[in-house]
Amino acid sequence: MRYSSAASGLAAPDSPPRRGCACAVAWAPTSASPPPGPRGGSEPGGTMFTSTGSSGLYKAPLSKSLLLVPSALSLLLALLLPHCQKLFVYDLHAVKNDFQIWRLICGRIICLDLKDTFCSSLLIYNFRIFERRYGSRKFASFLLGSWVLSALFDLLLVEAMQYSFGITAASNLPSGFLAPVFALFVPFYCSIPRVQVAQILGPLSITNKTLIYILGLQLFTSGSYIWIVAISGLISGLCYDSKMFQVHQVLCIPSWMAKFFSWTLEPIFSSSEPTSEARIGMGATLDIQRQQRMELLDRQLMFSQFAQGRRQRQQQGGMINWNRLFPPLRQRQNVNYQGGQQSEPAVPPPLEVSEEQVARLMEMGFSRGDALEALRASNNDLNVATNFLLQH
């Protein structure tokens, strides 16, 4: 588990930026498997969730713990200990009138509704990209900050509803770790590139982020007053992500605590690096399968060359010569002999790079130089360029 912070996006304690861990919502794919093809981030046999990566919970121990522990406790309370569920009810009325402050903790960790448990677990699994991108410490700081801030906004929204409309919702709020899940939609919307997967009608299209939003909408409409928790989570995520009032410096995980959990919990929740190969279309003809294999080998060659160049850069310093590492794989230098003399191969002009795509990569925390060279190496394919930069 690496607890150092990375370049941009989620606000976190001051520490040197890093991009060493893999990440994914396009979310660009960040598994050990080859990057997606040039059309919107889906390779043969892929799905619309390719933006979240296919490497499971590799390099995401905190996300794995949030998937396993609360879900197991939720099932335990629902099936074996239903009489103990009253201890985990999120009741702001009891907090305010009976000073049961402990409910702000117990009532906001475990979901008592199994539908909420299922939806929030799927969202946490898809949001594991942020832990890979920014590191476990920074990811944990964001969750902690949004969790604390959302409790305050819950109280304010409940009081505003009571004062303005006479609606009492203090005793009907859903329990569980829901507000930080909704807060993660803020960096998801702001920092993850949108890649079109399919066109429906006119301006309507399906992107690599569509199903995540649909899943969030399902969770948003799962209860009568869950919208209060959702709004407070979005507001807290916006405050933390924009570094409003410097809350990211106050609500953060100390380095000593990060190291402690790294030593104690990392061996339990860490996942091994995936080694599975990308799938090849089963129903394709032999020619199509051969072509897919060729493209797969090309991408694997790009990754191996990039990894070798990254190691050389770490040993010697300086910028990577991307043009040397990534020559066009489909083009071969033709040697023409005329009159017994060997002619020099023509050097292709530098590829025009879209400034918009450069800006999107820089928003994800990469330097302009790396963004330019990655886009040139990937023939202006934003998805492949992002995968190159995030994978190594």
Side-chain angles (χ1 to χ4, degrees), residues 14-199:
D14 295 334
S15 61
R18 89 176 162 83
R19 295 193 309 269
C21 78
C23 62
V25 156
W27 286 42
T30 59
S31 65
S33 57
R39 294 179 190 167
S42 64
E43 61 188 27
T47 67
M48 275 186 289
F49 282 98
T50 53
S51 60
T52 65
S54 57
S55 56
L57 292 165
Y58 176 59
K59 292 187 178 179
L62 179 58
S63 300
K64 186 176 182 179
S65 65
L66 291 175
L67 280 174
L68 296 179
V69 177
S71 299
L73 293 176
S74 180
L75 288 172
L76 183 66
L77 289 174
L79 301 178
L80 301 179
L81 301 172
H83 58 282
C84 296
Q85 288 187 350
K86 60 183 179 180
L87 299 176
F88 297 92
V89 174
Y90 186 27
D91 190 351
L92 290 180
H93 181 77
V95 173
K96 179 182 177 182
N97 296 334
D98 301 332
F99 299 102
Q100 297 181 4
I101 307 299
W102 53 272
R103 290 193 180 274
L104 289 175
I105 300 176
C106 296
R108 305 177 69 243
I109 295 178
I110 302 174
C111 292
L112 299 182
D113 190 332
L114 293 182
K115 297 191 301 294
D116 294 346
T117 302
F118 178 73
C119 291
S120 59
S121 297
L122 285 178
L123 288 171
I124 289 174
Y125 177 77
N126 284 282
F127 287 150
R128 72 198 185 282
I129 172 184
F130 296 113
E131 183 175 4
R132 292 175 179 166
R133 179 183 297 182
Y134 305 120
S136 296
R137 180 189 174 190
K138 193 171 186 179
F139 183 65
S141 297
F142 180 88
L143 294 178
L144 174 65
S146 59
W147 188 74
V148 173
L149 289 175
S150 60
L152 175 62
F153 290 123
D154 283 345
L155 291 170
L156 294 177
L157 288 174
V158 166
E159 290 298 322
M161 286 186 57
Q162 177 70 29
Y163 179 79
S164 302
F165 307 104
I167 299 176
T168 303
S171 303
N172 299 308
L173 294 180
S175 302
F177 196 72
L178 300 176
V181 174
F182 284 106
L184 286 170
F185 274 98
V186 175
F188 176 71
Y189 174 80
C190 296
S191 63
I192 300 302
R194 176 179 176 271
V195 179
Q196 181 175 320
V197 175
Q199 191 76 23

Side-chain angles (χ1 to χ4, degrees), residues 11-14 141 145 149 236 238-253:
D14 295 334
S141 297
L149 289 175
S236 61
L238 184 62
C239 292
Y240 201 96
D241 191 64
S242 61
K243 303 180 181 180
M244 190 177 298
F245 307 118
Q246 300 299 313
V247 292
H248 66 287
Q249 296 182 355
V250 179
L251 301 174
C252 63
I253 302 296

Side-chain angles (χ1 to χ4, degrees), residues 171-243:
S171 303
N172 299 308
L173 294 180
S175 302
F177 196 72
L178 300 176
V181 174
F182 284 106
L184 286 170
F185 274 98
V186 175
F188 176 71
Y189 174 80
C190 296
S191 63
I192 300 302
R194 176 179 176 271
V195 179
Q196 181 175 320
V197 175
Q199 191 76 23
I200 302 179
L201 289 174
L204 299 179
S205 62
I206 297 177
T207 70
N208 58 324
K209 303 168 72 172
T210 301
L211 293 182
I212 309 299
Y213 288 131
I214 293 176
L215 190 58
L217 182 62
Q218 170 66 31
L219 184 61
F220 183 83
T221 58
S222 63
S224 301
Y225 294 101
I226 195 173
W227 61 270
I228 296 178
V229 177
I231 292 177
S232 64
L234 292 173
I235 296 175
S236 61
L238 184 62
C239 292
Y240 201 96
D241 191 64
S242 61
K243 303 180 181 180

